[in-house]
Every structure is written in structure tokens, then in C-alpha cells.
Amino acid sequence: MNADASPARDQAAVDPVELTVSDVQAGFASGAFTAEALTQACLERIARHNPRYVALITMNEDALRDARAVDRRRAAGEVLGPLAGVPVVVKDTMDMAGLPSTGGWRLLSARAGGIDLIPATDSPVVARLRAAGAVILGKTNVPILSATGSHASNSWAGVTLNAVVPDRLPGGSSAGTATAVAGSLAVLGLAEETGGSIQNPAAAQDLVGIKPSFALVPNTGVMPLAGSTRDVVGPIARCVRDAALTLDVLAGFTPEDPKTVAGIGCRPRGGYASGLDATALRGKRLGLYGPGWRDQALSPDAASLYQRAIGELQARGATVVADPFAGSGFAAIARPVAGTDYDPRGMECIPYDMDRYLKRMGPKAALGSFEAFVAAVAAEDPFAPQGVLALMPTLPAFNAGFADPLALPDLSGFIAAREAYLAVFAEVMARHRLDALVFPQMRGELPPLTGLDVVQETSVCEINIAGLPGVTVPAGYYASGAPFSLIFIGPMWSEATLLALAFDYEGATRHRRPPTLDM
């Protein structure tokens, strides 16, 4: 038989719904199914459900071939890692050689009448997935330029639905990744955050998300909003262990992204998954959400669910500290744009970062500079008063960067904010002897899919500007069925601790319920 001939149909049908990485590897080890058969099952599930949910927008036509290659390596006796043969998805904005990076925008998609940006090489995070043997099924939907943390409704590819509650916002901007993972179109997914785009969709769709410390994971080759200052890449998964295993693959230094030198020596020995502990909450001191962090109250229903979660944490042996940031001045550091909760400091570098991103795509890319990008999208200027990034000209340093994208703009305001956040954070954590913070990730229930309401989060700009890590974990449901989630937040490089705390909570409560997708 030809080495590439498909044996998938010779096996019993594989049901990919709710499979974890451990389930997948057990299936491979027992011979219950192959990587090819599992990939085929995911592709069939995508074909059935993606037209309604619009999670994936570009398929990897080589996915089955890649799966067969993993099967051959396994059959030859090669020792493979835990992600080998596991079907995954990546966010549209992450460069994958030969596939378009559209930024969700019709002007940057030939299929929607625009131009295609085709990278010559993989981004480091995609390359690391490939090296780990993961089978990349395709790329997932985002809003235009990833410029909202609530939805992907303005994408050229259509409206992404929430797999758990389709009539509610899916979270953004990594909406497609969250929907693909929540709906079992894939086992794992990669997301990216500048302002909530990992934690918001993970929380909105009852998933585990890791917003890593800034510079732990490379973001070179990912379409930027603040690549030099805020952007981070992290995993979205259905359980904590799977997220930790994915972070093990993604984290670490690469010369392609020099800022990742900051993370050298900060990863745990043995990896993140090795430190998961079902008793991690015992004896820990956790700070709670309050006006000292941000003077925005929880809705009555969110407060009730939070109180229940606090009781669950205490039952696991944790001690909680109410509003430890009271009187610290932490909340006063924020400078949100008028009429919003969003503080854009650090995003002044969009012109500089976009210029470097486009040049990295290679000499054959349709756009090779920020100036070329501005000309190509002039019909829908994103920085104009009605544009998706209209807030940017409110930052004085952005305008200088726009005029000269080859020069990194003045980031003194951002640097001062990061230093202030980190200084107060460290002082409060030390004074109260806190191991971590645990907040509701959102202040209230998910808004409807249609309308002007946005996700009301608790932790986005503070930890984005400060560069701090956070891990979301499912924590229950509102009466409507909309998910309620917690986020564990800690000091820089504390991902191992946060994952262990989330793992303990997850195992003790098991709040997450598998969603049923509508046809």
C-alpha cells in the first residue's frame, strides 16, 4: 500500500468530542485510533459545524498528510512528545508558511476581494507546534485587526458564535480559537492577547486559558497590536493539564524574538505540566477582587457566583484576603480612554511593530512596510474616527510613530505605568503574604451577541500593561447558561503556581459541562 494511502476508514469511527491530550495519547498507545483517523474525525466535525459557528477560516490542506507522518514515526518506534498527533488550531494572525494571515479584514483577504498576506516562514509558535508533532487543522477567525476583546462579528469570514451559548458574545479577539476548542473541532488552540484576547474568549466559552508573562512565549510572526510591549501568545484548552502541556511547547527563548531572553531561567524544571498538584490550594493565601484593584462593582449575580467560588477555595484549604489593594493607589494608575474601560498605553508602537511584522513575511509578500499597509487599507482607515483603532491617535506618541514607523516611539508613559503597576503589585503581595489573586474574570454575565454591549472584564489592561500572567478556569454558570469563570493572577513568571492552583480547583469542582453544538 502507498505510504500515504489513508487507513482512517479501516478503523472504527473516532469521536473527538471532549478528548483530552491524555485521552488522545491513550488511544494512540492502545491502537484504538491513529492520528490520521482522529484528524479525519475532527475535519468531519468541522465540515458539519463550522458553517454555523465560523470558528475556522483557513484550513491546512496538509493536515492529513501531517497526521500520517506522525503515525509513521510512532510505528517506527520513535519516542514522541505529548502533543504528537494531537489536532490543534491557531489564530489567524499567527503566520503559517503558505497560508494567508488576514487579520479578519476583507481588505487583507483575497477570498473577500482584498489582497492576501502570505508569509514565507512559520511564526516561532507555529514552528514549535510543528516540531512537537501537533497536527495543525487550520487558522481561526478574529475581528478586524483583533481590535476587540468581545467578538469576531466584523470579520470578512462571518460571525463567530459562542459554542456554549450561541446567542451571547464569544469573547475576542481569539473568538474562533475558543469556539473551535469548546466545540471539540480541535483538542487545543493557540490564542494571542493584547487586551483580553486570551482570557476573555476562554472565560466566555468555559475554557482554560493561559495569558503568560510578557516575553515568556515569542510573538514574532504574529500580526501585532503591541508586539514590543504587550502582545502575548498562549494556549486555550478544555482542561488545565492540556493548557500546561501546550505552554511547555510554546515557552522559551528564541533568537527570532530577542525579548524572550527575559524568560531564561524562569521556566520550572520538568515543565509546567509536571507541577500540577491536586492539593495546591492548601495553605495558600489568595487576594480577592475589590475597589482597590478596580473601582467597578460586580453584578449581583456575578457577586453571588464569586462568593460560592470563594467558599470552594476555602474548602480546599485556601485563605482569602478581601480587597488587598485597598489604599494602595493601584486602581488610580489606569488611564482608560473616555467612555471605555480600555487603557491603550503600550500600543503606540503599532506602526513600528507592523512594519517589522510585514518585512518578516519575506520579499514576495504583498505588503512590505507599514506605509504600504496604510495605502492598501486607506478605504477603511483603521485609525480614523470611525475606524476599529480610532483610539490610537489619542496617544501622542502614536502620531510620531505613524509619521516615522522605522523609529520605536516614545514609550515613557507605558514604561511608567508598567513600573507603577509592578511596584504596587509587589508591595501588596508581600504585605499580605499572598500567593496569588483570584477574581471573577468578568464583572457580569456575557452580553448578547447582537447589540453594543461588550465583555465587562476585571483584569485585562492591568495585567496586559504590567506584563503579569493569568490563568482562567471554569467556575459555574449563570441561570441563562452563560459561563462564569475565575482568573488566577500572580507575579511575573508564576505560571507554574497559577496552573497548580487552577488544577486543584478544577479537579475539586468540575464545573465545566460539555456544550452541545446546534446544526
Side-chain angles (χ1 to χ4, degrees):
M1 186 173 75
N2 185 297
D4 277 348
S6 173
R9 298 298 181 185
D10 295 339
Q11 293 192 313
V14 183
D15 183 359
V17 174
E18 292 295 300
L19 288 181
T20 66
V21 171
S22 294
D23 295 332
V24 170
Q25 294 305 332
F28 293 158
S30 70
F33 50 80
T34 62
E36 182 186 358
L38 177 57
T39 298
Q40 182 64 45
C42 287
L43 293 175
E44 290 173 358
R45 188 166 172 83
I46 290 166
R48 185 162 64 251
H49 293 293
N50 200 61
R52 170 169 165 74
Y53 287 86
V54 194
L56 286 95
I57 62 174
T58 303
M59 300 304 297
N60 174 21
E61 300 298 332
D62 294 329
L64 285 170
R65 186 194 68 180
D66 295 343
R68 286 192 287 269
V70 173
D71 287 334
R72 287 195 296 270
R73 292 168 62 192
R74 182 172 285 109
E78 185 175 342
V79 177
L80 302 174
L83 296 196
V86 175
V88 305
V89 293
V90 301
K91 189 173 181 177
D92 169 79
T93 52
M94 297 172 186
D95 283 358
M96 188 170 171
L99 296 185
S101 294
T102 74
W105 204 356
R106 69 174 188 87
L107 298 178
L108 300 180
S109 173
R111 285 167 285 176
I115 58 172
D116 271 343
L117 294 176
I118 308 290
T121 58
D122 290 336
S123 58
V125 290
V126 168
R128 287 176 174 180
L129 281 182
R130 289 194 198 269
V135 178
I136 301 174
L137 300 174
K139 304 181 75 179
T140 57
N141 202 19
V142 298
I144 295 174
L145 292 182
S146 300
T148 171
S150 295
H151 62 76
S153 297
N154 60 8
S155 167
W156 66 267
V159 177
T160 295
L161 300 185
N162 187 316
V164 181
V165 275
D167 63 341
R168 303 293 178 113
L169 289 172
S173 61
S174 307
T177 291
T179 297
V181 176
S184 291
L185 307 185
V187 176
L188 300 167
L190 293 197
E192 177 272 335
E193 173 158 332
T194 306
S197 296
I198 296 172
Q199 50 177 307
N200 284 359
Q205 302 206 44
D206 218 19
L207 298 166
V208 176
I210 304 175
K211 183 273 173 199
S213 302
F214 181 74
L216 178 67
V217 176
N219 62 26
T220 296
V222 180
M223 191 177 291
L225 283 177
S228 297
T229 55
R230 292 174 54 153
D231 292 355
V232 293
V233 174
I236 284 180
R238 292 189 290 270
C239 67
V240 173
R241 182 177 296 278
D242 286 2
L245 288 168
T246 310
L247 187 61
D248 282 334
V249 167
L250 299 178
F253 171 75
T254 172
E256 290 189 81
D257 193 341
K259 63 181 172 291
T260 55
V261 71
I264 293 176
C266 297
R267 291 183 295 166
R269 288 183 180 273
Y272 294 98
S274 69
L276 300 180
D277 180 0
T279 65
L281 284 163
R282 186 181 304 159
K284 296 299 190 296
R285 292 175 59 83
L286 305 176
L288 302 181
Y289 181 73
W293 173 272
R294 188 193 292 187
D295 194 11
Q296 292 178 320
L298 306 179
S299 73
D301 288 343
S304 177
L305 288 165
Y306 188 33
Q307 284 303 313
R308 186 191 70 184
I310 290 169
E312 292 167 334
L313 294 163
Q314 290 172 317
R316 299 299 297 162
T319 297
V320 299
V321 178
D323 195 13
F325 288 84
S328 69
F330 188 90
I333 299 170
R335 296 288 184 274
V337 172
T340 77
D341 295 338
Y342 195 75
D343 185 339
R345 286 177 292 180
M347 294 177 64
E348 299 93 336
C349 55
I350 287 178
Y352 174 82
D353 288 333
M354 183 66 80
D355 190 78
R356 292 201 304 169
Y357 167 75
L358 293 169
K359 285 180 167 61
R360 185 188 181 277
M361 278 197 162
K364 295 183 180 179
L367 302 176
S369 68
F370 180 72
E371 291 93 338
F373 168 82
V374 169
V377 302
E380 298 178 18
D381 181 0
F383 308 113
Q386 302 305 315
V388 294
L389 292 171
L391 54 81
M392 294 314 305
T394 67
L395 297 171
F398 166 80
N399 298 306
F402 190 91
D404 183 8
L406 298 183
L408 191 63
D410 176 13
L411 292 172
S412 56
F414 163 76
I415 293 168
R418 174 168 283 184
E419 288 178 337
Y421 273 133
L422 290 174
V424 177
F425 187 90
E427 189 278 326
V428 168
M429 297 291 283
R431 173 157 45 91
H432 293 281
R433 306 188 317 279
L434 298 176
D435 296 285
L437 311 177
V438 60
F439 297 166
Q441 198 278 328
M442 297 182 195
R443 305 192 304 276
E445 194 168 353
L446 272 175
L449 177 64
T450 57
L452 299 178
D453 290 343
V454 297
V455 168
Q456 301 291 322
E457 40 68 34
T458 65
S459 52
V460 163
C461 288
E462 293 89 344
I463 69 173
N464 292 148
I465 292 174
L468 299 169
V471 174
T472 67
V473 64
Y477 299 88
Y478 292 88
S480 67
F484 173 79
S485 292
L486 297 177
I487 182 166
F488 289 91
I489 298 168
M492 292 289 287
W493 323 116
S494 66
E495 285 83 355
T497 296
L498 302 180
L499 285 163
L501 299 176
F503 180 77
D504 185 347
Y505 180 81
E506 173 190 65
T509 59
R510 300 198 178 277
H511 282 298
R512 185 176 180 278
R513 301 193 299 254
T516 299
L517 300 191
D518 300 325
M519 295 299 291

